[in-house]
PDB file of all heavy atoms in Angstrom:
ATOM      1  N   GLY B 150      12.891  21.901  -3.893  1.00  0.00           N
ATOM      2  CA  GLY B 150      13.157  20.924  -2.814  1.00  0.00           C
ATOM      3  C   GLY B 150      11.987  19.996  -2.663  1.00  0.00           C
ATOM      4  O   GLY B 150      12.114  18.729  -2.495  1.00  0.00           O
ATOM      5  N   ARG B 154      11.702  15.956  -3.233  1.00  0.00           N
ATOM      6  CA  ARG B 154      11.158  15.036  -2.232  1.00  0.00           C
ATOM      7  C   ARG B 154      10.072  14.159  -2.839  1.00  0.00           C
ATOM      8  O   ARG B 154       9.950  13.005  -2.457  1.00  0.00           O
ATOM      9  CB  ARG B 154      10.670  15.843  -1.033  1.00  0.00           C
ATOM     10  CG  ARG B 154      11.845  16.215  -0.082  1.00  0.00           C
ATOM     11  CD  ARG B 154      11.401  16.799   1.160  1.00  0.00           C
ATOM     12  NE  ARG B 154      11.041  18.253   1.083  1.00  0.00           N
ATOM     13  CZ  ARG B 154      10.309  18.827   1.993  1.00  0.00           C
ATOM     14  NH1 ARG B 154       9.903  18.202   3.037  1.00  0.00           N
ATOM     15  NH2 ARG B 154      10.081  20.106   1.829  1.00  0.00           N
ATOM     16  N   THR B 174      20.724  16.352  -4.920  1.00  0.00           N
ATOM     17  CA  THR B 174      20.703  17.722  -4.210  1.00  0.00           C
ATOM     18  C   THR B 174      21.280  18.771  -5.166  1.00  0.00           C
ATOM     19  O   THR B 174      21.402  19.939  -4.744  1.00  0.00           O
ATOM     20  CB  THR B 174      21.487  17.646  -2.960  1.00  0.00           C
ATOM     21  OG1 THR B 174      22.824  17.261  -3.189  1.00  0.00           O
ATOM     22  CG2 THR B 174      20.873  16.637  -2.005  1.00  0.00           C
ATOM     23  N   LEU B 177      19.413  22.095  -5.525  1.00  0.00           N
ATOM     24  CA  LEU B 177      18.798  22.585  -4.269  1.00  0.00           C
ATOM     25  C   LEU B 177      19.827  23.427  -3.543  1.00  0.00           C
ATOM     26  O   LEU B 177      21.008  23.153  -3.634  1.00  0.00           O
ATOM     27  CB  LEU B 177      18.256  21.450  -3.412  1.00  0.00           C
ATOM     28  CG  LEU B 177      17.401  20.436  -4.147  1.00  0.00           C
ATOM     29  CD1 LEU B 177      17.054  19.322  -3.224  1.00  0.00           C
ATOM     30  CD2 LEU B 177      16.166  21.114  -4.680  1.00  0.00           C
ATOM     31  N   ASP B 178      19.284  24.292  -2.663  1.00  0.00           N
ATOM     32  CA  ASP B 178      20.153  25.050  -1.786  1.00  0.00           C
ATOM     33  C   ASP B 178      20.652  24.095  -0.683  1.00  0.00           C
ATOM     34  O   ASP B 178      20.126  22.924  -0.550  1.00  0.00           O
ATOM     35  CB  ASP B 178      19.523  26.302  -1.226  1.00  0.00           C
ATOM     36  CG  ASP B 178      18.340  25.961  -0.381  1.00  0.00           C
ATOM     37  OD1 ASP B 178      18.367  24.917   0.365  1.00  0.00           O
ATOM     38  OD2 ASP B 178      17.347  26.773  -0.378  1.00  0.00           O
ATOM     39  N   SER B 179      21.670  24.565   0.115  1.00  0.00           N
ATOM     40  CA  SER B 179      22.304  23.706   1.102  1.00  0.00           C
ATOM     41  C   SER B 179      21.407  23.163   2.142  1.00  0.00           C
ATOM     42  O   SER B 179      21.448  22.007   2.540  1.00  0.00           O
ATOM     43  CB  SER B 179      23.491  24.336   1.678  1.00  0.00           C
ATOM     44  OG  SER B 179      23.062  25.577   2.290  1.00  0.00           O
ATOM     45  N   VAL B 180      20.393  23.989   2.528  1.00  0.00           N
ATOM     46  CA  VAL B 180      19.468  23.495   3.623  1.00  0.00           C
ATOM     47  C   VAL B 180      18.596  22.426   3.073  1.00  0.00           C
ATOM     48  O   VAL B 180      18.486  21.287   3.684  1.00  0.00           O
ATOM     49  CB  VAL B 180      18.553  24.688   4.138  1.00  0.00           C
ATOM     50  CG1 VAL B 180      17.646  24.191   5.229  1.00  0.00           C
ATOM     51  CG2 VAL B 180      19.449  25.810   4.576  1.00  0.00           C
ATOM     52  N   MET B 181      17.985  22.604   1.880  1.00  0.00           N
ATOM     53  CA  MET B 181      17.198  21.599   1.222  1.00  0.00           C
ATOM     54  C   MET B 181      18.066  20.373   1.010  1.00  0.00           C
ATOM     55  O   MET B 181      17.606  19.242   1.245  1.00  0.00           O
ATOM     56  CB  MET B 181      16.733  22.123  -0.116  1.00  0.00           C
ATOM     57  CG  MET B 181      15.633  23.185   0.016  1.00  0.00           C
ATOM     58  SD  MET B 181      14.053  22.419   0.182  1.00  0.00           S
ATOM     59  CE  MET B 181      13.024  23.791  -0.140  1.00  0.00           C
ATOM     60  N   GLY B 182      19.306  20.572   0.491  1.00  0.00           N
ATOM     61  CA  GLY B 182      20.118  19.439   0.189  1.00  0.00           C
ATOM     62  C   GLY B 182      20.410  18.630   1.378  1.00  0.00           C
ATOM     63  O   GLY B 182      20.376  17.382   1.330  1.00  0.00           O
ATOM     64  N   ALA B 183      20.662  19.286   2.452  1.00  0.00           N
ATOM     65  CA  ALA B 183      20.839  18.529   3.700  1.00  0.00           C
ATOM     66  C   ALA B 183      19.641  17.680   4.123  1.00  0.00           C
ATOM     67  O   ALA B 183      19.791  16.537   4.568  1.00  0.00           O
ATOM     68  CB  ALA B 183      21.191  19.467   4.868  1.00  0.00           C
ATOM     69  N   GLU B 184      18.474  18.266   3.925  1.00  0.00           N
ATOM     70  CA  GLU B 184      17.238  17.525   4.230  1.00  0.00           C
ATOM     71  C   GLU B 184      17.158  16.272   3.413  1.00  0.00           C
ATOM     72  O   GLU B 184      16.862  15.210   3.888  1.00  0.00           O
ATOM     73  CB  GLU B 184      16.053  18.422   3.897  1.00  0.00           C
ATOM     74  CG  GLU B 184      15.354  18.971   5.114  1.00  0.00           C
ATOM     75  CD  GLU B 184      14.196  19.904   4.641  1.00  0.00           C
ATOM     76  OE1 GLU B 184      13.343  19.491   3.955  1.00  0.00           O
ATOM     77  OE2 GLU B 184      14.305  21.126   5.041  1.00  0.00           O
ATOM     78  N   ILE B 185      17.388  16.387   2.077  1.00  0.00           N
ATOM     79  CA  ILE B 185      17.274  15.231   1.225  1.00  0.00           C
ATOM     80  C   ILE B 185      18.329  14.196   1.661  1.00  0.00           C
ATOM     81  O   ILE B 185      18.040  12.979   1.695  1.00  0.00           O
ATOM     82  CB  ILE B 185      17.555  15.676  -0.258  1.00  0.00           C
ATOM     83  CG1 ILE B 185      16.516  16.761  -0.730  1.00  0.00           C
ATOM     84  CG2 ILE B 185      17.622  14.480  -1.225  1.00  0.00           C
ATOM     85  CD1 ILE B 185      15.136  16.238  -0.897  1.00  0.00           C
ATOM     86  N   MET B 186      19.533  14.657   1.943  1.00  0.00           N
ATOM     87  CA  MET B 186      20.605  13.749   2.360  1.00  0.00           C
ATOM     88  C   MET B 186      20.196  12.971   3.619  1.00  0.00           C
ATOM     89  O   MET B 186      20.436  11.746   3.670  1.00  0.00           O
ATOM     90  CB  MET B 186      21.852  14.558   2.590  1.00  0.00           C
ATOM     91  CG  MET B 186      23.101  13.731   2.773  1.00  0.00           C
ATOM     92  SD  MET B 186      23.505  12.764   1.313  1.00  0.00           S
ATOM     93  CE  MET B 186      24.574  11.531   2.018  1.00  0.00           C
ATOM     94  N   ASP B 187      19.564  13.699   4.505  1.00  0.00           N
ATOM     95  CA  ASP B 187      19.087  13.040   5.689  1.00  0.00           C
ATOM     96  C   ASP B 187      18.118  11.898   5.438  1.00  0.00           C
ATOM     97  O   ASP B 187      18.180  10.788   6.059  1.00  0.00           O
ATOM     98  CB  ASP B 187      18.426  13.981   6.675  1.00  0.00           C
ATOM     99  CG  ASP B 187      19.480  14.937   7.341  1.00  0.00           C
ATOM    100  OD1 ASP B 187      20.646  14.514   7.327  1.00  0.00           O
ATOM    101  OD2 ASP B 187      19.083  15.944   7.932  1.00  0.00           O
ATOM    102  N   ASP B 206      29.127  17.331  -4.071  1.00  0.00           N
ATOM    103  CA  ASP B 206      29.322  17.919  -2.745  1.00  0.00           C
ATOM    104  C   ASP B 206      30.143  17.075  -1.876  1.00  0.00           C
ATOM    105  O   ASP B 206      29.768  15.973  -1.462  1.00  0.00           O
ATOM    106  CB  ASP B 206      27.916  18.182  -2.132  1.00  0.00           C
ATOM    107  CG  ASP B 206      27.976  19.006  -0.853  1.00  0.00           C
ATOM    108  OD1 ASP B 206      28.974  18.835  -0.105  1.00  0.00           O
ATOM    109  OD2 ASP B 206      27.048  19.820  -0.631  1.00  0.00           O
ATOM    110  N   MET B 209      28.734  15.882   1.506  1.00  0.00           N
ATOM    111  CA  MET B 209      27.684  14.826   1.440  1.00  0.00           C
ATOM    112  C   MET B 209      28.417  13.516   1.152  1.00  0.00           C
ATOM    113  O   MET B 209      28.042  12.486   1.748  1.00  0.00           O
ATOM    114  CB  MET B 209      26.691  15.197   0.324  1.00  0.00           C
ATOM    115  CG  MET B 209      25.932  16.457   0.653  1.00  0.00           C
ATOM    116  SD  MET B 209      24.314  16.316   0.005  1.00  0.00           S
ATOM    117  CE  MET B 209      23.689  17.905   0.536  1.00  0.00           C
TER     118      MET B 209
END
Side-chain angles (χ1 to χ4, degrees):
Chain B
R154 280 189 279 164
T174 60
L177 309 175
D178 64 34
S179 55
V180 181
M181 287 278 194
E184 254 177 57
I185 300 292
M186 191 61 198
D187 284 345
D206 190 322
M209 294 214 181

